């Protein structure tokens, strides 16, 4: 079976298998090109003369069962009979592997597929194939660079999302390094990645993109980050269209309301008990209930929440924050822009009340500052959900490599794994249902 399968695989490349053996637990396949073929010099056109053969050892993709596999290619060497020809001598070429390569093309495709699926790192794949890290990366880099060629690979993007993540944590000798991912908010594919998260970094990235591609962007989805918003505003009418809209992500707006509840709970807890939350404190025991949506609370949950507020919230400030949080959540529960605008005005008015907690006054200022972007998010149904999913994939890539120091390599790995269309896999027939039936 090994001999037959190898003959079929290498026969498609114009090579014939002369032997298959197992040496030290590795499968060794010996191949060569069939004789009797006329080869002509590229320089002068004369028929070349054979100069014998030379063995080249290549590493192939793992064999069935994960066993390592070598390919010993008995390459033919040719020489031009014209002594004055500049071509001299050369070795034959094949689609099996490029010149001066250690891995076969199949092994390179296998490694690229593993990296694209985030099923290993360059170092782990290099160990598995028995080559050095730089050898492994040199084979992968070309495929990764093709993935990062240009923004045109994803086509025109109507909704473009931006979100940052930490590339390297801070230490005594360096500050935290951030990267920002530009993601197609409709498909979730990563368009590009650039270093930094400031307004100047975003403007610099946009200035490098094709003008026609940038002009096709209709909505930019961002978190409530002033650096992104100021950059987009400054680019309107210049690189971006004058009518490009900015939408703020609903998840982060609700998160701001949740943070107001948490801050108020901690402050009230310190004022009433004189210490941080401990087991047995009423508000500390209900900290998760305070952040749970009211539609998800059952009768027991409501009873616990009321009891905690009655016992630990003497001035009803935490209850007011909880009510404000629900009002903010209600803004995004309607598809009608007019009704959403009315609910947002109601939430801002509630937070601006003179007797409201200081956490609500802060939340009101934020909501009022981002009011236009919130309306745009509701009207266009734009959000950063797929951008956050792409960020999760980026973090998986970082964890698989135990972190990155080289931004160029990090960017190529990201675009290889998250910048392409999802790979089509062979459909698998189910052999067991979700609830198998047992015959008595």
């Amino acid at each position: 079976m090994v001999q037959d399968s190898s003959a079929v695989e290498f026969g498609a490349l114009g090579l014939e298998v002369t032997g298959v053996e197992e040496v030290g637990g590795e499968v060794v396949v010996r191949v060569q090109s069939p004789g009797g073929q006329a080869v002509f010099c590229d320089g002068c056109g004369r028929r070349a003369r054979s100069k014998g053969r030379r063995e080249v050892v290549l590493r192939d993709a793992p064999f069935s069962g994960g066993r390592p596999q070598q390919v010993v290619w008995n390459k033919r060497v040719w020489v031009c009979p014209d002594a004055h020809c500049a071509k001299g001598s050369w070795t034959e070429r094949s689609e099996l592997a490029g010149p001066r390569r250690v891995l076969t093309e199949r092994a390179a495709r296998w490694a690229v597929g593993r990296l694209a699926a985030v099923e290993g790192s360059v170092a782990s794949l290099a160990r598995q194939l028995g080559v050095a890290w730089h050898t492994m990366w040199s084979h992968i880099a070309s495929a990764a660079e093709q993935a990062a060629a240009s923004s045109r690979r994803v086509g025109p993007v109507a909704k473009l999302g931006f979100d940052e993540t930490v590339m390297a944590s801070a230490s005594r000798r360096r500050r935290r390094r951030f990267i920002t991912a530009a993601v197609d908010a409709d498909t979730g594919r990563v368009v590009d990645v650039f270093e930094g998260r400031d307004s100047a970094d975003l403007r610099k990235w946009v200035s490098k993109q094709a003008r026609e591609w940038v002009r096709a962007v209709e909505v930019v989805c961002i978190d409530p980050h002033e650096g992104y918003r100021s950059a987009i505003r400054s680019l309107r009418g210049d690189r971006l269209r004058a009518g490009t809209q900015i939408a703020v992500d609903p998840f982060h707006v609700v998160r701001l309301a949740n943070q107001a509840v948490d801050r108020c709970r901690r402050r009230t807890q310190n004022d009433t008990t004189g210490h941080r939350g401990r087991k047995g404190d009423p508000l500390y025991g209900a900290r998760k209930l305070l952040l749970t949506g009211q539609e998800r609370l059952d009768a027991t949950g409501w009873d616990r929440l009321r009891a905690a507020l009655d016992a630990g919230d003497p001035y009803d400030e935490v209850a007011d924050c909880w009510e404000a949080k629900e009002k903010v959540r209600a803004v995004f529960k309607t598809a009608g822009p007019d009704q959403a605008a009315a609910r947002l005005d109601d939430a801002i008015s509630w937070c601006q009340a003179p007797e409201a907690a200081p956490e609500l006054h802060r939340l009101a200022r934020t909501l009022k500052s981002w009011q236009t972007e919130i309306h745009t998010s509701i009207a266009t149904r734009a959000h950063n959900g797929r951008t956050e999913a792409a960020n999760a994939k980026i973090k998986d890539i970082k964890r698989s490599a135990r972190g990155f120091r080289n931004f160029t390599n990090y960017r190529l790995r990201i675009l290889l794994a998250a910048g392409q269309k999802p790979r089509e896999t062979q459909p698998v027939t189910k052999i067991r249902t979700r609830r198998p039936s047992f015959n008595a």
Side-chain angles (χ1 to χ4, degrees):
M1 288 298 294
V2 175
Q3 179 74 30
D4 295 340
S5 62
S6 299
V8 172
E9 293 169 358
F10 294 102
L13 301 176
L15 302 172
E16 59 182 11
V17 177
T18 60
V20 179
E21 57 185 337
E22 187 169 345
V23 180
E26 295 188 6
V27 177
V28 179
V29 182
R30 298 184 179 275
V31 300
Q32 66 180 22
S33 59
Q37 297 177 348
V39 176
F40 298 91
C41 176
D42 294 338
C44 62
R46 297 184 61 180
R47 182 169 181 171
R49 185 176 68 249
S50 176
K51 200 178 177 182
R53 293 180 182 269
R54 179 190 306 163
E55 282 192 351
V56 176
V57 179
L58 303 171
R59 176 68 71 185
D60 202 4
F63 196 68
S64 60
R67 287 185 296 171
Q69 182 174 200
Q70 288 186 18
V71 176
V72 180
W73 183 10
N74 203 13
K75 296 181 70 172
R76 191 183 294 273
V77 183
W78 300 97
V79 63
C80 182
D82 188 352
H84 301 288
C85 181
K87 183 69 174 178
S89 62
W90 66 94
T91 58
E92 65 178 339
R93 294 190 178 185
S94 170
E95 295 180 2
L96 175 64
R100 299 183 182 276
R101 290 292 185 176
V102 178
L103 301 182
T104 65
E105 292 297 329
R106 182 170 58 177
R109 289 194 300 270
W110 173 82
V112 168
R114 291 290 302 275
L115 280 183
V118 197
E119 294 176 350
S121 63
V122 177
S124 66
L125 295 176
R127 287 193 299 269
Q128 191 168 351
L129 294 178
V131 296
W133 186 94
H134 291 282
T135 301
M136 186 79 258
W137 180 247
S138 66
H139 286 78
I140 294 172
S142 58
E145 288 170 357
Q146 290 178 2
S150 68
S151 58
R152 287 194 294 265
R153 61 189 166 78
V154 296
V157 176
K159 295 179 182 178
L160 186 62
F162 291 99
D163 196 14
E164 81 281 355
T165 185
V166 178
M167 174 181 169
S169 301
S171 66
R172 292 194 307 170
R173 298 182 179 180
R174 68 163 184 258
R175 301 175 62 183
R176 278 197 303 176
R177 294 177 65 184
F178 288 91
I179 62 170
T180 297
V183 181
D184 186 344
D186 287 328
T187 64
R189 292 172 63 187
V190 176
V191 176
D192 200 0
V193 182
F194 59 91
E195 193 167 4
R197 61 167 182 172
D198 297 332
S199 176
D201 299 321
L202 180 54
R203 286 197 297 268
K204 182 179 179 181
W205 178 82
V206 172
S207 65
K208 293 181 179 179
Q209 308 308 308
R211 191 176 186 87
E212 297 78 11
W213 185 86
V214 175
R215 286 280 180 175
V217 177
E218 300 175 0
V219 181
V220 177
C221 309
I222 61 174
D223 301 343
H225 179 42
E226 185 58 40
Y228 292 157
R229 181 169 66 171
S230 61
I232 299 302
R233 286 176 173 176
S234 65
L235 291 169
R236 282 175 176 168
D238 181 17
R239 300 289 298 183
L240 293 170
R241 294 188 304 178
T244 303
Q245 297 177 294
I246 303 176
V248 66
D249 186 43
F251 167 81
H252 289 85
V253 176
V254 176
R255 184 185 179 189
L256 292 174
N258 286 337
Q259 289 175 349
V261 176
D262 258 342
R263 293 192 184 100
C264 183
R265 175 186 59 80
R266 295 191 187 101
R267 179 178 57 80
T268 302
Q269 197 161 250
N270 280 321
D271 293 344
T272 55
T273 62
H275 56 72
R276 295 177 60 184
R278 297 175 183 173
K279 185 178 180 180
D281 293 342
L283 292 181
Y284 182 76
R287 63 191 184 279
K288 292 185 179 180
L289 287 174
L290 287 169
L291 303 182
T292 304
Q294 61 178 354
E295 71 278 1
R296 299 178 60 189
L297 291 174
D298 54 11
T300 304
W302 277 111
D303 292 340
R304 287 181 55 199
L305 182 59
R306 292 192 186 97
L309 292 175
D310 291 341
D313 186 23
Y315 306 109
D316 292 334
E317 288 185 328
V318 179
D320 288 345
C321 288
W322 180 87
E323 183 68 26
K325 181 259 295 186
E326 291 300 325
K327 288 181 178 292
V328 172
R329 292 181 66 245
V331 173
F332 301 100
K333 289 182 179 180
T334 176
D338 295 336
Q339 187 179 11
R343 291 183 179 182
L344 180 59
D345 292 337
D346 179 48
I348 294 175
S349 299
W350 180 273
C351 296
Q352 286 179 332
E355 67 276 8
E359 292 80 8
L360 291 186
H361 290 163
R362 178 181 178 181
L363 178 61
R365 291 192 295 270
T366 304
L367 294 177
K368 199 170 183 64
S369 173
W370 290 87
Q371 195 167 3
T372 303
E373 288 75 18
I374 294 174
H375 290 160
T376 302
S377 175
I378 296 168
T380 61
R381 313 304 295 176
H383 57 83
N384 254 2
R386 291 184 175 87
T387 307
E388 295 290 344
N391 250 359
K393 189 72 169 288
I394 291 172
K395 293 176 183 177
D396 288 341
I397 297 168
K398 178 182 174 182
R399 282 191 289 267
S400 71
R402 305 297 189 269
F404 283 87
R405 290 179 296 178
N406 188 314
F407 170 73
T408 302
N409 291 357
Y410 193 19
R411 174 177 175 268
L412 291 177
R413 285 285 308 276
I414 292 170
L415 295 180
L416 182 64
Q420 306 297 307
K421 292 181 179 179
R423 295 185 303 162
E424 294 184 2
T425 58
Q426 178 68 28
V428 179
T429 303
K430 291 184 179 180
I431 61 173
R432 179 175 293 177
T433 59
R434 184 175 180 84
R435 293 182 178 178
S437 58
F438 296 96
N439 296 325

